[in-house]
């Protein structure tokens, strides 16, 4: 079977989508594991990315100023999804970016996580951790419709210790208890991933930010108020999400 693959690049300024690298090649079938949501091989041939390059620019969103940290993901059936999260607008392409759907209103907003594609079920996820009511937005039809569901978020060891000794407790984005609270958000994260190999196949992962309430600029913050990135991951299909240990260096802005 011949397949067409394109590498997608989303520009942040005005919602431009560039396409580069196009070729046709037969799937190698080297990896016998399949994406159960589609029955297709999880690993394809590199030949599909080695053809004659090209670059195509399309206007995906327009008006209302710049796009704030647009989100991009590719569903298991190849559908491309782009979200303008400051307005909750989504557009879909089922033909590799040649044409786009009308705008779909979605509940995903700034500070929610980027899209996570569950390759086992084909579902799409986005997490909201910042407003005091942990929940996920989930689509079972490639982004056409979305539902909300509550989730359990389990803190890491440092977060538990900070609360036990009375140094800091988890709050919301709008909390203003400088020096004593923090919150979690994921507004600048890359798209999430699903592990295919190793000890935890099927694990869903996306980056997030541990942000103490303090003065905004890093130079005005105390060491205990430093901003750190972390990962949020689920091993039970999205019901429970655990916070990883904080990444070793502060202010690296992975999310």
């Amino acid at each position: 079977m011949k397949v067409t693959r394109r590498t997608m690049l989303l520009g942040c300024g005005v919602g431009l989508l560039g396409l580069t690298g196009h070729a046709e090649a037969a799937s190698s079938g080297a990896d016998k594991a399949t994406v159960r949501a589609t029955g297709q091989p999880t690993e394809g041939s590199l030949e599909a990315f080695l053809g004659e390059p090209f670059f195509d620019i399309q206007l995906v969103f327009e008006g209302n100023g710049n796009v704030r940290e647009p989100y991009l993901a590719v569903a298991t059936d190849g559908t491309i999804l782009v979200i303008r999260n400051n307005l909750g607008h989504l557009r879909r392409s089922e033909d590799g970016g040649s044409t786009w759907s009308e705008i779909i209103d979605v509940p995903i907003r700034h500070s929610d996580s980027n899209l996570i594609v569950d390759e086992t079920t084909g579902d799409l996820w986005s997490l909201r951790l910042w407003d005091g009511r942990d929940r996920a937005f989930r689509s079972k039809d490639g982004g056409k419709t979305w539902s909300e569901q509550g989730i359990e978020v389990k803190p890491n060891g440092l977060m538990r210790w900070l609360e036990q000794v009375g140094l800091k407790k988890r709050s919301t984005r709008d909390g203003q208890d400088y020096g004593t609270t923090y919150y979690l958000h994921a507004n600048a994260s890359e798209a999430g991933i699903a592990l295919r190999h190793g000890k935890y196949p099927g694990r869903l992962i996306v980056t997030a930010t541990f942000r103490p309430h303090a003065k905004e600029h890093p130079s005005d913050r105390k060491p205990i108020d430093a901003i750190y990135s972390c990962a949020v991951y689920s091993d039970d299909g999205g019901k429970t999400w655990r916070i990883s240990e904080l990444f070793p260096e502060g202010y690296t802005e992975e999310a």
Side-chain angles (χ1 to χ4, degrees):
M1 179 180 70
K2 289 189 175 182
V3 296
T4 299
R5 298 179 185 271
R6 288 174 172 174
T7 300
M8 314 303 299
L9 174 65
L10 186 67
C12 294
V14 290
L16 297 179
L17 189 68
L19 314 179
T20 179
H22 170 76
E24 291 189 352
S27 176
S28 66
D31 192 328
K32 295 181 180 179
T34 60
V35 176
R36 282 180 283 172
T38 62
Q40 299 300 315
T42 58
E43 309 291 355
S45 170
L46 285 177
E47 295 177 13
F49 297 94
L50 302 179
E52 187 69 24
F54 74 95
F55 192 80
D56 179 31
I57 296 178
Q58 299 178 38
L59 186 62
V60 179
F61 297 115
E62 60 183 333
N64 298 307
N66 292 337
V67 175
R68 169 69 175 177
E69 294 157 356
Y71 288 171
L72 171 68
V74 180
T76 54
D77 65 355
T79 298
I80 303 166
L81 302 102
V82 183
I83 293 180
R84 188 176 187 177
N85 65 12
N86 62 331
L87 296 178
H89 290 169
L90 178 149
R91 296 189 73 184
R92 306 169 68 256
S93 175
E94 297 181 356
D95 56 11
S98 296
T99 61
W100 293 88
S101 71
E102 295 298 318
I103 288 175
I104 300 170
D105 291 322
V106 296
I108 300 166
R109 292 294 189 274
H110 180 265
S111 293
D112 297 338
S113 82
N114 204 327
L115 296 176
I116 310 160
V117 180
D118 186 336
E119 295 186 347
T120 300
T121 64
D123 294 352
L124 301 165
W125 295 81
S126 176
L127 308 182
R128 179 169 295 177
L129 308 174
W130 51 267
D131 67 351
R133 188 164 64 89
D134 294 331
R135 57 199 188 275
F137 304 111
R138 184 179 189 178
S139 175
K140 294 177 174 288
D141 56 8
K144 296 176 183 177
T145 61
W146 294 79
S147 62
E148 179 183 312
Q149 69 177 61
I151 57 174
E152 180 182 4
V153 175
K154 294 193 173 183
N156 62 30
L158 175 64
M159 294 161 64
R160 291 193 299 270
W161 178 80
L162 287 171
E163 185 159 359
Q164 288 170 359
V165 300
L167 285 175
K168 291 185 185 297
K169 62 180 180 179
R170 188 178 171 200
S171 183
T172 66
R173 184 178 65 183
D174 296 328
Q176 296 297 323
D177 296 326
Y178 279 15
T180 62
T181 58
Y182 68 89
Y183 71 101
L184 299 170
H185 67 86
N187 59 286
S189 61
E190 297 293 333
I193 63 171
L195 297 186
R196 295 174 178 171
H197 309 290
K199 188 176 180 180
Y200 302 102
R203 172 175 284 183
L204 306 177
I205 307 174
V206 72
T207 53
T209 296
F210 170 89
R211 182 181 293 266
H213 287 103
K215 293 181 179 180
E216 186 61 29
H217 198 277
S219 63
D220 296 327
R221 288 175 173 260
K222 299 176 181 178
I224 197 172
D225 292 327
I227 300 169
Y228 284 88
S229 295
C230 58
V232 186
Y233 63 95
S234 175
D235 290 319
D236 60 4
K239 297 177 183 177
T240 305
W241 295 83
R242 298 177 181 273
I243 309 299
S244 75
E245 297 304 315
L246 303 185
F247 294 178
E249 188 71 26
Y251 304 108
T252 52
E253 298 290 342
E254 285 85 0

